Amino acid sequence: MTHTTQTVQTSTDPVLYRATFMHTPRSPFADADALHAEDDGGLLVAGGIILASGPWAEVRAQAPEAPVTDLRGGLLLPGFVDTHVHYPQVRVVGGLGMPLLDWLDRNALPEEARLADEGYARVVAREFLGALAMNGTTTALVFGAHYAGAMHAFFEEAAASGLRTVAGLVVGDRLLRPELHTTPERAYAEGRALIERWHGRGRALYAVTPRFSLSASEGLLDACGALLREFGDVRFTSHINENVTEVEVVRGLFPEARDYLDTYERAGLVGRRSVLAHNVWPSDRELGAMAEHRCSAAHCPCSNSALGSGFFPLRRHLAAGVHVSLGSDVGGGTGFSLLKEGLQAYFMQGLMGAEGVALTPAHLLYLATRAGAEALDLGDLTGDFSAGRQFDAVHLSPPPGTPLAAVYAHAEGPGRLLAATFASGTQGDVARVWVGGGEVYARG
Ligand code: GUN
Ligand code: ZN
């Protein structure tokens, strides 16, 4: 356990949080001591920003008069960062028994077509944002809907929710259902209007989002590239190398491209602020290029299991120097909990034997928090409890009488506490959630 108190100077009405807290300001993949745990810790917060972070006695001494919120008995973690989750799919979780392309045709896309109705989309957006908050997710890279009206409704509801969202209109112009298809011209015009209205407004950012190369002509990808060139700091996200059949179809559709990644590279879509979901079947060339571009792979282990997509080659990503974060991939995934995603990542890496990575609780925490903030280029703002970050936090407090409550009462050391949290923590253990110092969820 490290004992360093960090401090930032400001003046406005500070409040203190007293809790057992843990965070990973550095990557455990690079530094074996990266888990920072305070058994009796303090966080001094003013104006939504963490001013001081460290042992309770030291932080308390800096603000002897400040009111105290006592969260002892639970565990305070940085808010989770979900780097791949689909807003229109909240109602189709659980469509098991189909591989990706069948699942899209039979389960996901019929529901996505219903978001043509803006009223319907708004209700789904509320359900979706509520589900993120009650699972402790404070920042999400959200795969949007195919309809601009549904995206305006989403951004309005996201603003009301208080969550940090990076989201965009999903575009495709082939091989989906006709009612989901757009054109390069329309994709550009609608994307531009959405960016001008929402990017950088409150806690919202925009992500240019072609669904995947399978459903995008070169012209459509070029229209996405034009938006990225014009608006330098918007994010980019899409799917890549998820399923072997998908990869084969993409190869046939882009005979000129070196591989799947190249279909995006050629349109200028891959850079530091790009997040590519899945990447279960990458070539060495693609991994090397992803590292050079400094883009991120969003690993979605529950989805990879539910859709039978395959085992994520984490070891190869790390060896190549590719940054990896976590995603729930609702509704291909099985729910919104990044605790569950962390556990499933651990299981799958273990099952890979020598090809897997032996993940520790510190790795799981990093993947669920700090790694996501870095993938979204929001590392200065959120992802850990260092002084200077926003107070984005989740308080886990298992209901009395539950097995996890017994573990919390008796766990020996922070590693055990964190391991038990990932092993059996659920939505029901999330008691309170804050973004920028404001409460966005409190268990009823
Ligand atoms: N590839 C293209 N669309 C989707 C989707 O909605 N979910 C997943 N898992 N993969 C996709
Ligand atoms: Zn997805």
Side-chain angles (χ1 to χ4, degrees):
M1 199 178 290
T2 30
H3 281 275
T4 44
T5 307
Q6 290 183 304
T7 308
V8 161
Q9 299 301 325
T10 98
S11 51
T12 43
D13 39 311
V15 292
L16 276 162
Y17 294 89
R18 183 175 189 177
T20 297
F21 75 74
M22 298 184 204
H23 65 149
T24 47
R26 297 179 309 280
S27 168
F29 293 109
D31 175 352
D33 288 328
L35 179 64
H36 183 127
E38 294 291 351
D39 192 23
D40 185 10
L43 294 170
L44 179 62
V45 176
I49 296 170
I50 299 170
L51 306 185
S53 167
W56 168 251
E58 290 176 26
V59 174
R60 178 44 148 172
Q62 294 186 39
E65 309 292 319
V68 178
T69 300
D70 192 340
L71 301 171
R72 283 177 294 173
L75 175 61
L76 192 69
L77 298 176
F80 300 131
V81 182
D82 187 339
T83 58
H84 187 70
V85 58
H86 294 250
Y87 130 57
Q89 295 178 9
V90 63
R91 296 186 181 187
V92 296
V93 170
L96 301 178
M98 291 168 267
L100 174 66
L101 298 179
D102 291 345
W103 177 88
L104 278 171
D105 285 344
R106 288 157 56 189
N107 195 52
L109 299 184
E111 171 69 2
E112 298 219 9
R114 294 187 192 109
L115 275 79
D117 175 341
E118 200 179 310
Y120 183 88
R122 187 176 296 279
V123 176
V124 170
R126 278 189 206 133
E127 291 169 356
F128 173 82
L129 292 155
L132 289 175
M134 72 177 71
N135 279 278
T137 296
T138 52
T139 300
L141 174 55
V142 177
F143 230 85
H146 284 267
Y147 302 99
M151 289 315 296
H152 283 295
F154 173 82
F155 281 118
E156 282 166 13
E157 294 301 324
S161 77
L163 299 177
R164 296 186 201 286
T165 54
V166 185
L169 178 72
V170 175
V171 294
D173 63 352
R174 64 179 175 198
L175 298 175
L176 301 171
R177 301 160 73 87
E179 64 268 40
L180 295 176
H181 291 161
T182 186
T183 61
E185 296 72 27
R186 199 173 112 207
Y188 174 84
E190 290 180 345
R192 192 192 164 95
L194 281 160
I195 291 168
E196 287 174 340
R197 171 108 182 255
W198 295 109
H199 180 63
R201 188 158 160 186
R203 292 176 178 152
L205 292 170
Y206 194 83
V208 172
T209 313
R211 185 160 204 121
F212 57 165
S213 290
L214 189 148
S215 69
S217 67
E218 257 178 69
L220 187 68
L221 295 176
D222 287 342
C224 292
L227 287 173
L228 281 175
R229 275 194 303 283
E230 209 164 316
F231 300 95
D233 65 340
V234 300
R235 277 49 171 179
F236 171 79
T237 192
S238 193
H239 296 92
I240 193 168
N241 289 323
E242 178 176 1
N243 164 289
V244 285
T245 309
E246 170 214 11
V247 175
E248 255 170 52
V249 175
V250 168
R251 189 172 298 129
L253 289 168
F254 290 85
E256 317 279 279
R258 289 171 287 184
D259 44 42
Y260 204 142
L261 182 70
D262 198 31
T263 64
Y264 298 131
E265 285 178 293
R266 288 147 55 98
L269 301 174
V270 189
R272 168 67 186 89
R273 290 171 170 154
S274 304
V275 178
L276 295 167
H278 300 299
N279 213 28
V280 174
W281 303 104
S283 66
D284 289 342
R285 205 282 316 161
E286 289 173 297
L287 288 173
M290 285 176 74
E292 259 172 51
H293 290 298
R294 298 173 61 224
C295 69
S296 299
H299 172 34
C300 308
C302 288
S303 167
N304 295 166
S305 305
L307 297 175
S309 302
F311 285 89
F312 178 72
L314 177 59
R315 181 174 288 286
R316 290 176 59 218
H317 280 74
L318 296 174
V322 180
H323 183 74
V324 176
S325 54
L326 270 188
S328 66
D329 195 27
V330 161
T334 60
F336 288 82
S337 175
L338 284 204
L339 295 174
K340 184 163 68 165
E341 295 302 331
L343 181 67
Q344 188 68 13
Y346 167 84
F347 284 157
M348 294 183 86
Q349 292 302 310
L351 289 167
M352 289 170 75
E355 286 176 20
V357 177
L359 294 171
T360 66
H363 289 119
L364 306 189
L365 180 60
Y366 170 75
L367 285 168
T369 58
R370 176 94 208 132
E374 287 172 359
L376 298 175
D377 204 13
L378 295 176
D380 290 343
L381 196 70
T382 190
D384 65 62
F385 288 145
S386 300
R389 306 271 188 259
Q390 297 276 318
F391 183 63
D392 293 355
V394 51
H395 184 231
L396 296 152
S397 179
T402 60
L404 191 56
V407 176
Y408 270 42
H410 301 289
E412 284 173 13
R416 283 284 303 117
L417 192 60
L418 195 55
T421 300
F422 275 98
S424 63
T426 68
Q427 178 183 294
D429 300 306
V430 173
R432 296 176 72 181
V433 182
W434 298 262
V435 178
E439 193 172 77
V440 297
Y441 174 74
R443 189 168 57 198

